[in-house]
Amino acid sequence: MAHTCRGTITLATAHIEVGDTCHLVLTSGGRNYHLKATSDGESQRWVSALQQAKANTTHMMHQSDDSGDEAPVPQPDRALTQGALKTLASKLDDLSTCNELIGKHGTALQRSLSELEDLRTATDGTDKLKTVNERATLFRITSNAMINACRDFLDVAETHSRRWQRALQYEREQRHHLEETIEQLAKQHNSLERAWREAPSTHPGQSERTREGDASDENEDTEFFDAMEDSPAFITVTATDHTQHRSDAGSDNMQLRRVRRSRIPDKPNYSLNLWSIMKNCIGKELSKIPMPVNFNEPLSMLQRLTEDLEYSDLLDRAARCESSLEQMCLVAAFSVSSYSTTIHRTAKPFNPLLGETYELDRLDDFGYRSICEQVSHHPPAAAHHVTSQRGWTLWQEITIDSKFRGKYISVMPLGCIHLQFHSSGNHYVWGKVTSTVHNIIVGKLWIDQSGDIEIVNHRTKDTCHLKFVPYSYFSRDLPRKVTGVVADSEGTAHHILSGTWDEKMESAKIVESSRGCGGSEGKQKTVYQTLQPKLLWKKYPLPENAENMHFFSSLALTLNEPEEGVAPTDSRLRPDQRLMEAGLWDEANAHKQRLEERQRLERRKREAQATQALEEDFEGFQPLWFERRTDDSTGDSTYVYRGGYWESKDRQDWSQCPDIF
């Protein structure tokens, strides 16, 4: 149908899933329809009927496509397009009219000027001068009209051009997705044909059934089977009896990449006076101030730490680099990219509970999997470990030190980030800069990053010094500017880095350096001559409607998506955070108070145990997945992954996990 009404399901795009005990789920247009049959047999008949109807619908769509008929354009889109074209046509008519008038008045003005040159007497000159003035005035008025008409035309054209570009991009993505789907279907078709050729004699009645199936669409012997149940997105194809037994072996081929969510519920418009809460807290640590969820975003600090991996492709590229200096440039770009998501994110993440964990398994699409654990509550500290199949391992322990200063909040992450590449053994270590949230009392909140990052390759002793320039009203510098120099172990500079922490970073290879003059305090500045800069990293555009979804990036939108099989301590299972994401802020605040009070009780219990067991060398809280060790490269004591998490997940054995929620 060209249009649908409420409750209609487009079968061609619907996803049919068989649940447990006669339970069916139809997913269409972002909505789930739950159906329940009275018996297994009836459930199977419904699934078969729905799958057959879906296949028929798809077949009809292909037929209509082959016939050359164009799909009907939705009425509102057609009206908008026609209106835009009509407006552009009217503006073009105005331009044509102005063009004719300019030509006419211009010719008349030229004629008058020629006559003025041929004058002999002063009396004639007065009349002619008056005529020239009049014609020049007309020409000026017409020219102004022409300029205004051009501006209007350009504005209308640009406005609709952007909309059409977005529509075109969407259509390209849809086409690309369809091509991938068709390719997958072709592969499945080939595998089914091969399976049929290999075992034609397993069922004597097979050939008769096949001929009947060719003659009739309503083949009762045709069965349908699904791909693996844990895959939300897959193609369902028809299969005959003998290929049914092979579905398990071929399930890997049947399974398409998982589709992750691209939106969350819009943020409610709750207003609350921050100053009324924080006026008595000046100088305190942010983690010790009891804050309602109104100032939070529905992600925990562990998830924010994992979000640093948004641009993990920079590390994939770095792992393939032959030159350690070029590799350093990409590592530096990666260290800057982690701040790009913060430009609009002035809300505070949830403080994780002690023992809370967060896993992110993206082996299927990004090649890495990550595990975080909250290892200390005061001061708040988290340990993080990432292993990538694309040649690198990253680990870090970050302690958050924060102070409320009255007009602004400063957040100082303490600790080191370690990155090691498997093939070269290059081991990079760096820290984080200070984040400052301004305008706490009055005005619009805004965030700035400032400070220096020193990246050291402990194998080659190469270094990179990055400077995050603090924002200044009086400075002529580009806001959010970052500059850097990559040098070898001798201190010789090889690359200049430049850009902004919210948009992009570039590197330029140095070909010559010389001592200049004009440095401060009598020092000489070094002047570098470089080749053309190369783009290292550019920020991804935010998803549509991001301003109503806490300004989350595409990756951030997926971080709190419910997932089966994770540890019971995982941040996705935290009730106050889940309620806040759903927009139920009052209920979220009640749960938050309950969890914080419970955590305070647990802490007092541990302190009492420690007091009783002073003579027995009581160790206090010990993390489950991380342990403290001394790093060989830096000599610092840090929490590192002890292993076992993914093995426990494979076994679904979470017996050692504490009950924190």
Side-chain angles (χ1 to χ4, degrees):
M1 291 190 294
H3 60 88
T4 59
C5 59
R6 183 181 175 88
T8 306
I9 299 174
T10 308
L11 273 173
T13 56
H15 169 66
I16 303 159
E17 187 176 349
V18 184
D20 53 343
T21 60
C22 319
H23 181 212
L24 316 177
V25 182
L26 268 71
T27 306
S28 176
R31 291 183 179 171
N32 292 342
Y33 298 84
H34 296 265
L35 312 173
K36 193 162 186 181
T38 53
S39 67
D40 285 335
E42 187 184 14
S43 171
Q44 188 56 46
R45 286 198 299 278
W46 269 105
V47 172
S48 301
L50 287 166
Q51 294 281 25
Q52 187 67 53
K54 181 177 177 177
N56 291 343
T57 308
T58 311
H59 182 64
M60 284 166 64
M61 284 175 68
H62 288 322
Q63 279 188 335
S64 64
D65 287 347
D66 294 341
S67 68
D69 295 337
E70 290 184 5
V73 180
Q75 206 60 34
D77 285 0
R78 184 184 286 175
L80 275 171
T81 307
Q82 286 175 347
L85 290 172
K86 200 176 287 181
T87 309
L88 284 170
S90 69
K91 295 288 178 189
L92 203 57
D93 287 341
D94 293 347
L95 285 174
S96 301
T97 308
C98 287
N99 186 38
E100 288 172 9
L101 286 171
I102 280 181
K104 184 176 140 189
H105 292 314
T107 308
L109 182 59
Q110 282 176 335
R111 199 185 308 119
S112 297
L113 288 168
S114 302
E115 288 169 2
L116 200 61
E117 285 176 0
D118 298 333
L119 287 177
R120 296 283 178 271
T121 63
T123 52
D124 290 340
T126 310
D127 295 332
K128 293 290 180 189
L129 206 59
K130 190 176 177 184
T131 308
V132 168
N133 275 332
E134 286 174 357
R135 285 178 177 170
T137 305
L138 277 171
F139 187 82
R140 191 179 74 249
I141 291 166
T142 314
S143 299
N144 285 339
M146 179 70 161
I147 290 164
N148 289 334
C150 283
R151 193 182 291 120
D152 288 346
F153 182 85
L154 197 64
D155 286 345
V156 172
E158 281 181 348
T159 304
H160 290 283
S161 169
R162 283 193 294 272
R163 195 171 66 81
W164 288 331
Q165 278 176 346
R166 282 199 300 272
L168 183 62
Q169 182 61 30
Y170 174 76
E171 292 299 330
R172 278 180 182 154
E173 289 170 358
Q174 291 292 100
R175 179 182 169 179
H176 180 64
H177 177 66
L178 279 171
E179 284 173 352
E180 287 181 341
T181 308
I182 289 165
E183 185 183 352
Q184 190 75 13
L185 276 168
K187 287 178 182 175
Q188 293 168 9
H189 183 72
N190 286 340
S191 64
L192 288 172
E193 277 190 343
R194 201 180 305 115
W196 181 80
R197 280 197 299 271
E198 285 171 3
S201 59
T202 49
H203 292 275
Q206 178 62 48
S207 56
E208 288 82 353
R209 280 204 298 270
T210 307
R211 279 199 294 273
E212 287 168 15
D214 291 339
S216 169
D217 283 334
E218 296 177 5
N219 180 2
E220 291 184 357
D221 291 324
T222 301
E223 291 187 12
F224 298 84
F225 63 92
D226 292 339
M228 294 168 68
E229 285 187 7
D230 59 352
S231 169
F234 54 80
I235 300 169
T236 307
V237 297
T238 59
T240 45
D241 290 350
H242 69 277
T243 52
Q244 174 69 41
H245 303 299
R246 298 169 177 265
S247 63
D248 291 336
S251 60
D252 290 339
N253 295 330
M254 299 291 294
Q255 188 174 347
L256 287 184
R257 184 173 293 171
R258 171 180 173 176
V259 177
R260 298 183 185 265
R261 68 181 184 183
S262 57
R263 63 170 296 112
I264 58 173
D266 285 1
K267 176 184 175 183
N269 188 19
Y270 283 150
S271 61
L272 198 65
N273 185 358
L274 181 61
W275 181 240
S276 65
I277 293 168
M278 302 193 74
K279 62 187 175 185
N280 299 320
C281 303
I282 295 175
K284 285 187 182 178
E285 279 186 43
L286 202 60
S287 61
K288 293 187 176 179
I289 303 172
M291 299 270 281
V293 300
N294 304 49
F295 302 111
N296 285 23
E297 61 179 18
L299 288 180
S300 79
M301 194 64 215
L302 302 180
Q303 289 163 316
R304 280 296 289 268
L305 207 56
T306 308
E307 203 180 336
D308 288 357
L309 300 170
E310 177 153 19
Y311 297 94
S312 62
D313 60 307
L314 290 170
L315 301 184
D316 300 341
R317 282 164 55 196
R320 299 192 295 269
C321 274
E322 297 292 332
S323 161
S324 63
L325 292 166
E326 287 179 7
Q327 190 178 69
M328 174 69 88
C329 292
L330 287 163
V331 171
F334 174 77
S335 70
V336 174
S337 71
S338 62
Y339 297 98
S340 64
T341 58
T342 65
I343 181 66
H344 302 293
R345 304 268 289 278
T346 51
K348 165 183 176 296
F350 279 78
N351 287 333
L353 304 174
L354 194 60
E356 189 172 325
T357 60
Y358 179 72
E359 68 153 82
L360 185 64
D361 188 345
R362 301 300 291 264
L363 284 177
D364 57 341
D365 43 4
F366 298 141
Y368 67 77
R369 55 186 186 182
S370 154
I371 174 69
C372 287
E373 184 176 10
Q374 187 76 355
V375 294
S376 167
H377 189 63
H378 284 305
H384 184 201
H385 182 87
V386 192
T387 307
S388 172
Q389 293 177 333
R390 297 175 187 174
W392 53 270
T393 301
L394 181 144
W395 67 97
Q396 58 182 322
E397 181 204 333
I398 298 295
T399 302
I400 302 296
D401 185 19
S402 51
K403 287 288 189 291
F404 176 45
R405 310 288 188 186
K407 287 186 179 180
Y408 62 90
I409 290 171
S410 292
V411 180
M412 291 81 69
L414 311 172
C416 291
I417 302 163
H418 296 258
L419 170 67
Q420 188 159 25
F421 291 100
H422 303 164
S423 58
S424 64
N426 286 338
H427 182 176
Y428 296 88
V429 180
W430 70 94
K432 284 180 171 281
V433 295
T434 299
S435 302
T436 310
V437 182
H438 294 269
N439 286 356
I440 296 297
I441 299 175
V442 67
K444 186 179 180 183
L445 293 173
W446 61 278
I447 197 164
D448 194 26
Q449 314 287 350
S450 58
D452 294 349
I453 290 179
E454 191 78 29
I455 307 175
V456 180
N457 180 348
H458 281 274
R459 192 182 74 84
T460 63
K461 305 304 177 190
D462 299 339
T463 60
C464 173
H465 183 81
L466 289 170
K467 182 175 179 60
F468 286 65
V469 181
Y471 175 79
S472 171
Y473 182 77
F474 303 101
S475 172
R476 292 184 179 180
D477 277 338
L478 191 68
R480 299 175 283 281
K481 182 179 175 182
V482 180
T483 58
V485 178
V486 174
D488 60 21
S489 57
E490 305 294 323
T492 306
H494 289 267
H495 295 272
I496 295 290
L497 304 178
S498 61
T500 58
W501 54 262
D502 69 319
E503 189 179 350
K504 65 178 180 180
M505 285 297 290
E506 294 176 335
S507 73
K509 189 174 175 60
I510 297 169
V511 290
E512 191 182 333
S513 61
S514 59
R515 293 285 174 184
C517 56
S520 59
E521 300 174 6
K523 293 178 184 175
Q524 286 186 320
K525 278 187 176 178
T526 306
V527 179
Y528 296 114
Q529 187 180 338
T530 65
L531 299 176
Q532 281 285 86
K534 291 192 302 183
L535 183 69
L536 293 172
W537 158 75
K538 187 171 173 59
K539 183 187 176 185
Y540 301 141
L542 286 172
E544 192 179 347
N545 195 39
E547 64 278 4
N548 294 320
M549 298 188 293
H550 308 274
F551 285 100
F552 281 178
S553 64
S554 299
L555 177 67
L557 287 171
T558 67
L559 292 179
N560 204 43
E561 188 173 6
E563 195 160 317
E564 290 181 10
V566 298
T569 52
D570 198 273
S571 300
R572 296 175 180 88
L573 304 173
R574 184 167 170 165
D576 51 351
Q577 191 173 300
R578 179 64 59 199
L579 287 164
M580 191 216 163
E581 182 185 281
L584 305 170
W585 286 13
D586 293 336
E587 294 89 335
N589 274 318
H591 272 279
K592 186 170 183 287
Q593 286 175 6
R594 177 184 65 79
L595 289 171
E596 286 172 350
E597 184 56 41
R598 182 177 173 182
Q599 184 163 249
R600 281 191 284 271
L601 284 170
E602 290 290 331
R603 190 180 178 199
R604 285 198 286 271
K605 203 180 290 179
R606 274 195 303 274
E607 286 171 352
Q609 287 173 350
T611 308
Q612 288 172 7
L614 275 175
E615 300 82 14
E616 300 170 19
D617 191 22
F618 183 72
E619 289 185 340
F621 176 79
Q622 291 298 310
L624 197 55
W625 310 111
F626 289 81
E627 62 186 4
R628 189 169 282 286
R629 285 187 213 152
T630 302
D631 188 83
D632 297 334
S633 302
T634 61
D636 295 333
S637 176
T638 183
Y639 278 100
V640 294
Y641 180 55
R642 73 168 75 188
Y645 179 87
W646 302 107
E647 292 78 4
S648 293
K649 185 183 179 184
D650 291 340
R651 298 192 307 270
Q652 282 299 296
D653 175 17
W654 303 116
S655 54
Q656 51 192 327
C657 291
D659 177 18
I660 58 172
F661 299 139

